[in-house]
Structure formats: C-alpha cells, structure tokens
Amino acid sequence: MTTICACALTSKMWLYVGKALGRLNRRHCGLISKGCLRQLHNNELTDSCYDGMYPGHIHTTPIQKALLAVGSGVAALQNPYRHDMVAVLGETTGHLALMNLRDRMRNDPEGYTVLTERPRIRLSTLDLNRMASLPDGSFGREYLRFLEDNHVTPDSRADVKFVDHEELAYVMQRYREVHDLLHTLLGMPTNMLGEVAVKWFEAAQTGLPMCALGAVLGPLRLSSSRLQSLFTSLGPWALQNGRRSRCILSIFYERRWEQNLEDLRQELNIEPPPPVILGETNKRTVKE
C-alpha cells in the first residue's frame, strides 16, 4: 500500500513539474531555439568550413558548442520529435562519454572490428529481401518488422557534424544508427513510454548526457498511469539491463541477422522486457 501511494505521489509530482516546465518553455524556447538555429546557419558554421577531418564536419569553438548545446537542449525539451535538435545536443555534450565508448569498443574483439571496418546501417547497405525471407524470431526479420510496423527508416538518422574527432564521430554515428536495433532488442515500441524506457537503458549503458537528459525529462510527458509503469517496472528493468549488458556498440549487427533474437539477448545479457501494457505504437519516433 505504501509503495502504491508513493508511486501515485511521484506521478503527480512529475505531472506538476511537467506543466510548469511547459509554461516556461513556451515563454523562452522561441528565443533560444532561434539563437541555436542562427548558430547552425551562421556563415562560420556551414559546410564550406569542412576541414577534411571527415565529410560534413563543421568546426566549432567551445563557446559555439555551448550555445548550440543550450539552444538545442531547450528546443528538444519543448519538442522531443525535433530530431535535428536532439542530434546537435548529443554531439556537443558527449565528448567524454564517446571516448569511453570508443575505448570499450577497442577492448572488445568484435567492437574493434566494427571500429576498423566502419559499417553503416542504411537502406543502401541492407538486403531487405533477404531479411524478409528470414524466419520469424530471427533478429533480422524482427528488425525489418519493426521498421515496417512503425514506418521508420534507418536513412532518417542525421550525419554527425560537430564532433571534433574522426573516430569519435563514427562512434556517435554508430550509436545513432543502432537506436532502432536497440528498440528491437529491448522489445520497445516508438511511443513515448517505449522511447523513455530506451533512453533509460541508453543512459545507463552509454553515459551520454543527452541520454541522461532524455531519461530525466522524458517522464514529464507521460500520463500518471504510464509513469507508474515506468517507475515500478520498465524503468528499473531498463537501468539494470543497461548497466550489466555488453556494450551495444560492440556488436557487428550486420552479421547477426540470422541469429535468433532471444539467443542474441542472452548473449548480450539483456533480459526480455517485463509484461507491461505499452499501448499502441506511436508512429512518430524520437530520433537520435
């Protein structure tokens, strides 16, 4: 009884805070977001600044990175479906976490191969006909089913621009492109509750500030019933599995399509999701 009451109070608190932040965002977000976009389109921040570090790289000073981080963070808080702002926030705040992820990949034989060969997950690199012919329950078939059911495409993932290190830029790109694969591994839909659960897992797994921010602020957009599901079941499951599972970037997924999904989960030390009613899948997807 005490647990239920505490959960109810917590849910009410998050709903109250969410409404308050919503009023604050409507007042200030326009100004800050416009400032962020001005930085993105400033003459100093165009593709003409490409310095050869990697295609599309845009050099930014620490001050410019700070402005981009603040502006994109506020814009993403107001509208988490602004995947361009979410992407900028991740690139401008994640340097230390990316170094740690890169080191974990280097120390894993399969992860080292991924770093060396630099595979990309794009429609141009996927054999959709072959994946469709795989048996139900295989990783490749279930990933394709996820893409079809949610009307999403791996090509929607933006290219990295603001990471000032070629290898770390690939680590960020790889993280971004395996996001939908992680939905498949975790069995999470693309509605807000499913996205928040994935962000809790990613925050514990990667240490990226953008993931932590999404994990903290995402619940503000949930109803009280879904908050209860998050705090009592999905959240603890996501955090526990994110902390203990193998590095999700160290898997050469392109060579695992035929593998049974449950077998892959066991190999990565990921437990199946708890039996929580997640509701219908939202066709809009929060991008990173």
Side-chain angles (χ1 to χ4, degrees), residues 97-119 167-175 178 205-206 246-253:
L98 290 174
M99 290 179 62
N100 179 59
L101 288 168
R102 186 268 313 275
D103 293 343
R104 292 172 66 185
M105 295 176 72
R106 284 180 174 178
N107 292 326
D108 183 290
E110 190 174 3
Y112 183 79
T113 302
V114 172
L115 275 179
T116 302
E117 297 190 15
R118 306 286 178 89
E167 191 173 41
L168 297 184
Y170 175 75
V171 174
M172 173 59 80
Q173 192 70 50
R174 186 65 173 176
Y175 156 76
V178 305
Q205 165 81 197
T206 69
R246 184 178 167 189
C247 179
I248 57 173
L249 301 186
S250 294
I251 308 303
F252 211 132
Y253 295 101

mmCIF file of all heavy atoms in Angstrom, residues 97-119 167-175 178 205-206 246-253:
data_model
loop_
_atom_site.group_PDB
_atom_site.id
_atom_site.type_symbol
_atom_site.label_atom_id
_atom_site.label_comp_id
_atom_site.label_asym_id
_atom_site.label_seq_id
_atom_site.Cartn_x
_atom_site.Cartn_y
_atom_site.Cartn_z
ATOM 1 N N ALA A 97 31.906 10.826 -22.853
ATOM 2 C CA ALA A 97 31.191 9.559 -22.975
ATOM 3 C C ALA A 97 31.587 8.836 -24.257
ATOM 4 O O ALA A 97 31.727 7.602 -24.267
ATOM 5 C CB ALA A 97 29.679 9.800 -22.947
ATOM 6 N N LEU A 98 31.777 9.573 -25.345
ATOM 7 C CA LEU A 98 32.188 8.961 -26.606
ATOM 8 C C LEU A 98 33.581 8.354 -26.487
ATOM 9 O O LEU A 98 33.844 7.282 -27.047
ATOM 10 C CB LEU A 98 32.159 10.000 -27.727
ATOM 11 C CG LEU A 98 30.767 10.475 -28.170
ATOM 12 C CD1 LEU A 98 30.888 11.612 -29.178
ATOM 13 C CD2 LEU A 98 29.956 9.325 -28.759
ATOM 14 N N MET A 99 34.480 9.010 -25.760
ATOM 15 C CA MET A 99 35.810 8.440 -25.547
ATOM 16 C C MET A 99 35.718 7.119 -24.790
ATOM 17 O O MET A 99 36.400 6.146 -25.122
ATOM 18 C CB MET A 99 36.684 9.433 -24.781
ATOM 19 C CG MET A 99 37.080 10.657 -25.571
ATOM 20 S SD MET A 99 38.087 11.826 -24.600
ATOM 21 C CE MET A 99 39.523 10.798 -24.237
ATOM 22 N N ASN A 100 34.858 7.084 -23.782
ATOM 23 C CA ASN A 100 34.698 5.852 -23.008
ATOM 24 C C ASN A 100 34.106 4.737 -23.868
ATOM 25 O O ASN A 100 34.565 3.587 -23.814
ATOM 26 C CB ASN A 100 33.798 6.117 -21.800
ATOM 27 C CG ASN A 100 33.572 4.885 -20.958
ATOM 28 O OD1 ASN A 100 34.499 4.272 -20.441
ATOM 29 N ND2 ASN A 100 32.302 4.496 -20.813
ATOM 30 N N LEU A 101 33.111 5.069 -24.682
ATOM 31 C CA LEU A 101 32.509 4.072 -25.563
ATOM 32 C C LEU A 101 33.525 3.575 -26.588
ATOM 33 O O LEU A 101 33.589 2.376 -26.888
ATOM 34 C CB LEU A 101 31.292 4.668 -26.273
ATOM 35 C CG LEU A 101 30.043 4.895 -25.416
ATOM 36 C CD1 LEU A 101 29.024 5.743 -26.165
ATOM 37 C CD2 LEU A 101 29.435 3.571 -24.990
ATOM 38 N N ARG A 102 34.326 4.491 -27.134
ATOM 39 C CA ARG A 102 35.356 4.114 -28.088
ATOM 40 C C ARG A 102 36.352 3.140 -27.456
ATOM 41 O O ARG A 102 36.735 2.125 -28.068
ATOM 42 C CB ARG A 102 36.067 5.365 -28.576
ATOM 43 C CG ARG A 102 37.096 5.173 -29.703
ATOM 44 C CD ARG A 102 38.511 4.950 -29.162
ATOM 45 N NE ARG A 102 38.892 5.872 -28.133
ATOM 46 C CZ ARG A 102 39.409 7.098 -28.334
ATOM 47 N NH1 ARG A 102 39.603 7.526 -29.549
ATOM 48 N NH2 ARG A 102 39.753 7.859 -27.302
ATOM 49 N N ASP A 103 36.748 3.402 -26.211
ATOM 50 C CA ASP A 103 37.696 2.520 -25.524
ATOM 51 C C ASP A 103 37.090 1.146 -25.262
ATOM 52 O O ASP A 103 37.774 0.114 -25.375
ATOM 53 C CB ASP A 103 38.154 3.152 -24.216
ATOM 54 C CG ASP A 103 39.004 4.396 -24.428
ATOM 55 O OD1 ASP A 103 39.506 4.575 -25.559
ATOM 56 O OD2 ASP A 103 39.159 5.185 -23.479
ATOM 57 N N ARG A 104 35.807 1.115 -24.922
ATOM 58 C CA ARG A 104 35.133 -0.166 -24.710
ATOM 59 C C ARG A 104 35.080 -0.964 -26.013
ATOM 60 O O ARG A 104 35.265 -2.188 -26.011
ATOM 61 C CB ARG A 104 33.724 0.053 -24.157
ATOM 62 C CG ARG A 104 33.693 0.613 -22.748
ATOM 63 C CD ARG A 104 32.293 0.988 -22.318
ATOM 64 N NE ARG A 104 31.425 -0.174 -22.202
ATOM 65 C CZ ARG A 104 30.113 -0.097 -21.926
ATOM 66 N NH1 ARG A 104 29.545 1.097 -21.767
ATOM 67 N NH2 ARG A 104 29.398 -1.189 -21.827
ATOM 68 N N MET A 105 34.843 -0.295 -27.110
ATOM 69 C CA MET A 105 34.828 -0.974 -28.401
ATOM 70 C C MET A 105 36.214 -1.491 -28.767
ATOM 71 O O MET A 105 36.358 -2.606 -29.278
ATOM 72 C CB MET A 105 34.303 -0.028 -29.487
ATOM 73 C CG MET A 105 32.850 0.385 -29.323
ATOM 74 S SD MET A 105 32.297 1.601 -30.551
ATOM 75 C CE MET A 105 32.226 0.581 -32.042
ATOM 76 N N ARG A 106 37.235 -0.702 -28.506
ATOM 77 C CA ARG A 106 38.601 -1.141 -28.813
ATOM 78 C C ARG A 106 38.996 -2.383 -28.025
ATOM 79 O O ARG A 106 39.764 -3.219 -28.504
ATOM 80 C CB ARG A 106 39.581 -0.011 -28.489
ATOM 81 C CG ARG A 106 39.609 1.123 -29.507
ATOM 82 C CD ARG A 106 40.609 2.182 -29.072
ATOM 83 N NE ARG A 106 40.789 3.227 -30.075
ATOM 84 C CZ ARG A 106 41.585 4.281 -29.903
ATOM 85 N NH1 ARG A 106 42.252 4.422 -28.767
ATOM 86 N NH2 ARG A 106 41.701 5.189 -30.866
ATOM 87 N N ASN A 107 38.467 -2.503 -26.804
ATOM 88 C CA ASN A 107 38.835 -3.626 -25.942
ATOM 89 C C ASN A 107 37.976 -4.858 -26.156
ATOM 90 O O ASN A 107 38.135 -5.865 -25.465
ATOM 91 C CB ASN A 107 38.747 -3.197 -24.471
ATOM 92 C CG ASN A 107 39.796 -2.170 -24.103
ATOM 93 O OD1 ASN A 107 40.911 -2.195 -24.622
ATOM 94 N ND2 ASN A 107 39.447 -1.247 -23.205
ATOM 95 N N ASP A 108 37.064 -4.803 -27.103
ATOM 96 C CA ASP A 108 36.203 -5.930 -27.453
ATOM 97 C C ASP A 108 36.570 -6.382 -28.860
ATOM 98 O O ASP A 108 36.600 -5.556 -29.779
ATOM 99 C CB ASP A 108 34.729 -5.507 -27.378
ATOM 100 C CG ASP A 108 33.772 -6.650 -27.663
ATOM 101 O OD1 ASP A 108 33.700 -7.088 -28.833
ATOM 102 O OD2 ASP A 108 33.083 -7.091 -26.731
ATOM 103 N N PRO A 109 36.875 -7.662 -29.093
ATOM 104 C CA PRO A 109 37.286 -8.108 -30.440
ATOM 105 C C PRO A 109 36.286 -7.747 -31.526
ATOM 106 O O PRO A 109 36.678 -7.251 -32.603
ATOM 107 C CB PRO A 109 37.430 -9.625 -30.275
ATOM 108 C CG PRO A 109 37.716 -9.817 -28.815
ATOM 109 C CD PRO A 109 36.935 -8.755 -28.104
ATOM 110 N N GLU A 110 35.017 -7.973 -31.258
ATOM 111 C CA GLU A 110 34.001 -7.643 -32.259
ATOM 112 C C GLU A 110 33.851 -6.133 -32.394
ATOM 113 O O GLU A 110 33.692 -5.609 -33.501
ATOM 114 C CB GLU A 110 32.659 -8.286 -31.892
ATOM 115 C CG GLU A 110 31.607 -8.199 -32.994
ATOM 116 C CD GLU A 110 30.357 -8.976 -32.654
ATOM 117 O OE1 GLU A 110 30.274 -9.544 -31.540
ATOM 118 O OE2 GLU A 110 29.442 -9.025 -33.499
ATOM 119 N N GLY A 111 33.908 -5.431 -31.260
ATOM 120 C CA GLY A 111 33.826 -3.978 -31.303
ATOM 121 C C GLY A 111 34.991 -3.370 -32.052
ATOM 122 O O GLY A 111 34.834 -2.382 -32.791
ATOM 123 N N TYR A 112 36.185 -3.946 -31.891
ATOM 124 C CA TYR A 112 37.364 -3.462 -32.610
ATOM 125 C C TYR A 112 37.177 -3.625 -34.118
ATOM 126 O O TYR A 112 37.573 -2.765 -34.902
ATOM 127 C CB TYR A 112 38.608 -4.216 -32.137
ATOM 128 C CG TYR A 112 39.889 -3.738 -32.774
ATOM 129 C CD1 TYR A 112 40.521 -2.583 -32.321
ATOM 130 C CD2 TYR A 112 40.457 -4.432 -33.844
ATOM 131 C CE1 TYR A 112 41.697 -2.132 -32.922
ATOM 132 C CE2 TYR A 112 41.627 -3.991 -34.439
ATOM 133 C CZ TYR A 112 42.248 -2.843 -33.976
ATOM 134 O OH TYR A 112 43.397 -2.395 -34.567
ATOM 135 N N THR A 113 36.549 -4.736 -34.520
ATOM 136 C CA THR A 113 36.274 -4.956 -35.942
ATOM 137 C C THR A 113 35.307 -3.907 -36.474
ATOM 138 O O THR A 113 35.466 -3.409 -37.590
ATOM 139 C CB THR A 113 35.693 -6.367 -36.163
ATOM 140 O OG1 THR A 113 36.610 -7.352 -35.672
ATOM 141 C CG2 THR A 113 35.418 -6.625 -37.636
ATOM 142 N N VAL A 114 34.292 -3.578 -35.665
ATOM 143 C CA VAL A 114 33.345 -2.533 -36.069
ATOM 144 C C VAL A 114 34.078 -1.209 -36.263
ATOM 145 O O VAL A 114 33.870 -0.504 -37.264
ATOM 146 C CB VAL A 114 32.222 -2.390 -35.024
ATOM 147 C CG1 VAL A 114 31.346 -1.170 -35.340
ATOM 148 C CG2 VAL A 114 31.366 -3.644 -34.965
ATOM 149 N N LEU A 115 34.951 -0.854 -35.317
ATOM 150 C CA LEU A 115 35.713 0.393 -35.433
ATOM 151 C C LEU A 115 36.615 0.388 -36.661
ATOM 152 O O LEU A 115 36.840 1.431 -37.286
ATOM 153 C CB LEU A 115 36.555 0.611 -34.172
ATOM 154 C CG LEU A 115 35.897 1.275 -32.973
ATOM 155 C CD1 LEU A 115 36.888 1.379 -31.820
ATOM 156 C CD2 LEU A 115 35.359 2.656 -33.333
ATOM 157 N N THR A 116 37.134 -0.774 -36.996
ATOM 158 C CA THR A 116 38.065 -0.873 -38.120
ATOM 159 C C THR A 116 37.345 -0.820 -39.460
ATOM 160 O O THR A 116 37.758 -0.098 -40.382
ATOM 161 C CB THR A 116 38.880 -2.176 -38.030
ATOM 162 O OG1 THR A 116 39.592 -2.204 -36.774
ATOM 163 C CG2 THR A 116 39.871 -2.275 -39.171
ATOM 164 N N GLU A 117 36.234 -1.553 -39.573
ATOM 165 C CA GLU A 117 35.544 -1.658 -40.862
ATOM 166 C C GLU A 117 34.506 -0.556 -41.077
ATOM 167 O O GLU A 117 34.073 -0.334 -42.209
ATOM 168 C CB GLU A 117 34.890 -3.036 -40.979
ATOM 169 C CG GLU A 117 35.904 -4.178 -40.962
ATOM 170 C CD GLU A 117 35.295 -5.519 -41.328
ATOM 171 O OE1 GLU A 117 34.171 -5.533 -41.874
ATOM 172 O OE2 GLU A 117 35.956 -6.549 -41.076
ATOM 173 N N ARG A 118 34.062 0.083 -40.008
ATOM 174 C CA ARG A 118 33.135 1.219 -40.085
ATOM 175 C C ARG A 118 31.855 0.907 -40.882
ATOM 176 O O ARG A 118 31.521 1.608 -41.857
ATOM 177 C CB ARG A 118 33.818 2.437 -40.705
ATOM 178 C CG ARG A 118 35.117 2.865 -40.024
ATOM 179 C CD ARG A 118 34.834 3.550 -38.703
ATOM 180 N NE ARG A 118 36.063 3.926 -38.032
ATOM 181 C CZ ARG A 118 36.695 5.093 -38.206
ATOM 182 N NH1 ARG A 118 36.196 5.977 -39.049
ATOM 183 N NH2 ARG A 118 37.793 5.358 -37.533
ATOM 184 N N PRO A 119 31.113 -0.133 -40.519
ATOM 185 C CA PRO A 119 29.862 -0.407 -41.241
ATOM 186 C C PRO A 119 28.830 0.682 -40.978
ATOM 187 O O PRO A 119 28.848 1.326 -39.928
ATOM 188 C CB PRO A 119 29.415 -1.754 -40.667
ATOM 189 C CG PRO A 119 29.994 -1.767 -39.281
ATOM 190 C CD PRO A 119 31.324 -1.074 -39.400
ATOM 191 N N GLU A 167 37.309 9.476 -35.260
ATOM 192 C CA GLU A 167 36.891 8.188 -34.736
ATOM 193 C C GLU A 167 35.709 8.328 -33.790
ATOM 194 O O GLU A 167 34.774 7.513 -33.816
ATOM 195 C CB GLU A 167 38.060 7.506 -34.015
ATOM 196 C CG GLU A 167 37.779 6.047 -33.662
ATOM 197 C CD GLU A 167 38.998 5.343 -33.114
ATOM 198 O OE1 GLU A 167 39.728 5.967 -32.307
ATOM 199 O OE2 GLU A 167 39.226 4.175 -33.473
ATOM 200 N N LEU A 168 35.707 9.383 -32.965
ATOM 201 C CA LEU A 168 34.583 9.610 -32.061
ATOM 202 C C LEU A 168 33.319 9.971 -32.839
ATOM 203 O O LEU A 168 32.206 9.632 -32.416
ATOM 204 C CB LEU A 168 34.915 10.712 -31.062
ATOM 205 C CG LEU A 168 36.071 10.445 -30.103
ATOM 206 C CD1 LEU A 168 36.221 11.592 -29.111
ATOM 207 C CD2 LEU A 168 35.868 9.119 -29.360
ATOM 208 N N ALA A 169 33.495 10.640 -33.970
ATOM 209 C CA ALA A 169 32.342 10.951 -34.818
ATOM 210 C C ALA A 169 31.697 9.662 -35.309
ATOM 211 O O ALA A 169 30.463 9.552 -35.369
ATOM 212 C CB ALA A 169 32.767 11.822 -35.993
ATOM 213 N N TYR A 170 32.507 8.661 -35.659
ATOM 214 C CA TYR A 170 31.928 7.390 -36.087
ATOM 215 C C TYR A 170 31.208 6.703 -34.928
ATOM 216 O O TYR A 170 30.140 6.107 -35.115
ATOM 217 C CB TYR A 170 32.979 6.444 -36.657
ATOM 218 C CG TYR A 170 32.371 5.098 -36.988
ATOM 219 C CD1 TYR A 170 31.557 4.935 -38.107
ATOM 220 C CD2 TYR A 170 32.535 4.012 -36.126
ATOM 221 C CE1 TYR A 170 30.947 3.730 -38.382
ATOM 222 C CE2 TYR A 170 31.929 2.795 -36.398
ATOM 223 C CZ TYR A 170 31.128 2.657 -37.519
ATOM 224 O OH TYR A 170 30.507 1.455 -37.785
ATOM 225 N N VAL A 171 31.771 6.766 -33.726
ATOM 226 C CA VAL A 171 31.121 6.159 -32.562
ATOM 227 C C VAL A 171 29.736 6.779 -32.362
ATOM 228 O O VAL A 171 28.752 6.064 -32.123
ATOM 229 C CB VAL A 171 31.988 6.328 -31.300
ATOM 230 C CG1 VAL A 171 31.233 5.833 -30.061
ATOM 231 C CG2 VAL A 171 33.300 5.573 -31.450
ATOM 232 N N MET A 172 29.641 8.111 -32.470
ATOM 233 C CA MET A 172 28.344 8.772 -32.344
ATOM 234 C C MET A 172 27.408 8.345 -33.474
ATOM 235 O O MET A 172 26.218 8.089 -33.256
ATOM 236 C CB MET A 172 28.528 10.285 -32.348
ATOM 237 C CG MET A 172 27.223 11.077 -32.397
ATOM 238 S SD MET A 172 26.102 10.730 -31.001
ATOM 239 C CE MET A 172 26.847 11.761 -29.727
ATOM 240 N N GLN A 173 27.938 8.241 -34.691
ATOM 241 C CA GLN A 173 27.116 7.815 -35.823
ATOM 242 C C GLN A 173 26.610 6.393 -35.614
ATOM 243 O O GLN A 173 25.446 6.092 -35.890
ATOM 244 C CB GLN A 173 27.926 7.895 -37.121
ATOM 245 C CG GLN A 173 27.097 7.741 -38.389
ATOM 246 C CD GLN A 173 26.206 8.947 -38.628
ATOM 247 O OE1 GLN A 173 26.668 10.074 -38.595
ATOM 248 N NE2 GLN A 173 24.929 8.711 -38.877
ATOM 249 N N ARG A 174 27.479 5.531 -35.118
ATOM 250 C CA ARG A 174 27.083 4.149 -34.885
ATOM 251 C C ARG A 174 26.004 4.080 -33.810
ATOM 252 O O ARG A 174 25.019 3.344 -33.955
ATOM 253 C CB ARG A 174 28.310 3.320 -34.466
ATOM 254 C CG ARG A 174 28.041 1.825 -34.335
ATOM 255 C CD ARG A 174 27.685 1.186 -35.663
ATOM 256 N NE ARG A 174 27.584 -0.259 -35.558
ATOM 257 C CZ ARG A 174 27.216 -1.047 -36.563
ATOM 258 N NH1 ARG A 174 26.904 -0.530 -37.738
ATOM 259 N NH2 ARG A 174 27.151 -2.366 -36.402
ATOM 260 N N TYR A 175 26.185 4.834 -32.737
ATOM 261 C CA TYR A 175 25.161 4.883 -31.685
ATOM 262 C C TYR A 175 23.817 5.306 -32.278
ATOM 263 O O TYR A 175 22.766 4.716 -31.990
ATOM 264 C CB TYR A 175 25.571 5.858 -30.577
ATOM 265 C CG TYR A 175 24.393 6.388 -29.805
ATOM 266 C CD1 TYR A 175 23.736 5.600 -28.860
ATOM 267 C CD2 TYR A 175 23.894 7.665 -30.056
ATOM 268 C CE1 TYR A 175 22.623 6.075 -28.184
ATOM 269 C CE2 TYR A 175 22.793 8.145 -29.389
ATOM 270 C CZ TYR A 175 22.156 7.348 -28.450
ATOM 271 O OH TYR A 175 21.048 7.822 -27.797
ATOM 272 N N VAL A 178 22.210 2.488 -34.503
ATOM 273 C CA VAL A 178 21.750 1.242 -33.865
ATOM 274 C C VAL A 178 20.558 1.490 -32.943
ATOM 275 O O VAL A 178 20.065 0.548 -32.310
ATOM 276 C CB VAL A 178 22.886 0.541 -33.076
ATOM 277 C CG1 VAL A 178 24.087 0.281 -33.953
ATOM 278 C CG2 VAL A 178 23.270 1.338 -31.843
ATOM 279 N N GLN A 205 23.827 2.645 -20.136
ATOM 280 C CA GLN A 205 24.780 1.923 -20.984
ATOM 281 C C GLN A 205 25.880 2.829 -21.530
ATOM 282 O O GLN A 205 27.050 2.445 -21.561
ATOM 283 C CB GLN A 205 24.025 1.273 -22.158
ATOM 284 C CG GLN A 205 24.844 0.804 -23.303
ATOM 285 C CD GLN A 205 25.501 -0.537 -23.092
ATOM 286 O OE1 GLN A 205 26.425 -0.889 -23.803
ATOM 287 N NE2 GLN A 205 25.044 -1.313 -22.130
ATOM 288 N N THR A 206 25.530 4.040 -21.985
ATOM 289 C CA THR A 206 26.477 4.880 -22.708
ATOM 290 C C THR A 206 27.050 6.024 -21.891
ATOM 291 O O THR A 206 28.159 6.479 -22.168
ATOM 292 C CB THR A 206 25.813 5.482 -23.955
ATOM 293 O OG1 THR A 206 24.806 6.441 -23.552
ATOM 294 C CG2 THR A 206 25.160 4.393 -24.808
ATOM 295 N N ARG A 246 26.410 -6.196 -22.327
ATOM 296 C CA ARG A 246 27.597 -5.930 -23.142
ATOM 297 C C ARG A 246 27.409 -4.626 -23.910
ATOM 298 O O ARG A 246 26.271 -4.214 -24.194
ATOM 299 C CB ARG A 246 27.793 -7.095 -24.108
ATOM 300 C CG ARG A 246 29.036 -7.018 -24.975
ATOM 301 C CD ARG A 246 29.130 -8.262 -25.843
ATOM 302 N NE ARG A 246 30.121 -8.100 -26.904
ATOM 303 C CZ ARG A 246 30.268 -8.957 -27.894
ATOM 304 N NH1 ARG A 246 29.495 -10.048 -27.950
ATOM 305 N NH2 ARG A 246 31.178 -8.758 -28.830
ATOM 306 N N CYS A 247 28.495 -3.954 -24.237
ATOM 307 C CA CYS A 247 28.414 -2.687 -24.962
ATOM 308 C C CYS A 247 27.644 -2.873 -26.267
ATOM 309 O O CYS A 247 28.039 -3.676 -27.120
ATOM 310 C CB CYS A 247 29.812 -2.143 -25.243
ATOM 311 S SG CYS A 247 29.824 -0.587 -26.157
ATOM 312 N N ILE A 248 26.564 -2.138 -26.424
ATOM 313 C CA ILE A 248 25.696 -2.318 -27.587
ATOM 314 C C ILE A 248 26.358 -1.859 -28.883
ATOM 315 O O ILE A 248 25.913 -2.238 -29.975
ATOM 316 C CB ILE A 248 24.366 -1.565 -27.401
ATOM 317 C CG1 ILE A 248 24.626 -0.073 -27.138
ATOM 318 C CG2 ILE A 248 23.551 -2.181 -26.282
ATOM 319 C CD1 ILE A 248 23.369 0.771 -27.115
ATOM 320 N N LEU A 249 27.419 -1.050 -28.787
ATOM 321 C CA LEU A 249 28.113 -0.602 -29.985
ATOM 322 C C LEU A 249 29.182 -1.589 -30.436
ATOM 323 O O LEU A 249 29.753 -1.427 -31.522
ATOM 324 C CB LEU A 249 28.755 0.770 -29.747
ATOM 325 C CG LEU A 249 27.816 1.902 -29.346
ATOM 326 C CD1 LEU A 249 28.573 3.225 -29.293
ATOM 327 C CD2 LEU A 249 26.625 2.001 -30.286
ATOM 328 N N SER A 250 29.447 -2.582 -29.624
ATOM 329 C CA SER A 250 30.499 -3.550 -29.946
ATOM 330 C C SER A 250 29.980 -4.763 -30.709
ATOM 331 O O SER A 250 30.690 -5.743 -30.868
ATOM 332 C CB SER A 250 31.195 -4.020 -28.662
ATOM 333 O OG SER A 250 31.904 -2.961 -28.061
ATOM 334 N N ILE A 251 28.750 -4.696 -31.183
ATOM 335 C CA ILE A 251 28.143 -5.816 -31.901
ATOM 336 C C ILE A 251 28.094 -5.489 -33.387
ATOM 337 O O ILE A 251 27.616 -4.431 -33.788
ATOM 338 C CB ILE A 251 26.719 -6.102 -31.383
ATOM 339 C CG1 ILE A 251 26.723 -6.248 -29.862
ATOM 340 C CG2 ILE A 251 26.154 -7.351 -32.048
ATOM 341 C CD1 ILE A 251 27.642 -7.326 -29.345
ATOM 342 N N PHE A 252 28.585 -6.408 -34.194
ATOM 343 C CA PHE A 252 28.526 -6.261 -35.655
ATOM 344 C C PHE A 252 27.163 -6.798 -36.088
ATOM 345 O O PHE A 252 27.031 -7.918 -36.582
ATOM 346 C CB PHE A 252 29.657 -7.050 -36.314
ATOM 347 C CG PHE A 252 30.147 -6.441 -37.598
ATOM 348 C CD1 PHE A 252 31.509 -6.275 -37.835
ATOM 349 C CD2 PHE A 252 29.247 -6.030 -38.582
ATOM 350 C CE1 PHE A 252 31.977 -5.717 -39.020
ATOM 351 C CE2 PHE A 252 29.694 -5.469 -39.759
ATOM 352 C CZ PHE A 252 31.067 -5.303 -39.983
ATOM 353 N N TYR A 253 26.139 -5.965 -35.913
ATOM 354 C CA TYR A 253 24.762 -6.408 -36.133
ATOM 355 C C TYR A 253 24.538 -6.915 -37.548
ATOM 356 O O TYR A 253 23.705 -7.807 -37.770
ATOM 357 C CB TYR A 253 23.796 -5.255 -35.834
ATOM 358 C CG TYR A 253 23.795 -4.835 -34.382
ATOM 359 C CD1 TYR A 253 24.482 -3.705 -33.966
ATOM 360 C CD2 TYR A 253 23.121 -5.586 -33.428
ATOM 361 C CE1 TYR A 253 24.486 -3.311 -32.641
ATOM 362 C CE2 TYR A 253 23.118 -5.209 -32.091
ATOM 363 C CZ TYR A 253 23.811 -4.071 -31.706
ATOM 364 O OH TYR A 253 23.831 -3.693 -30.377
#
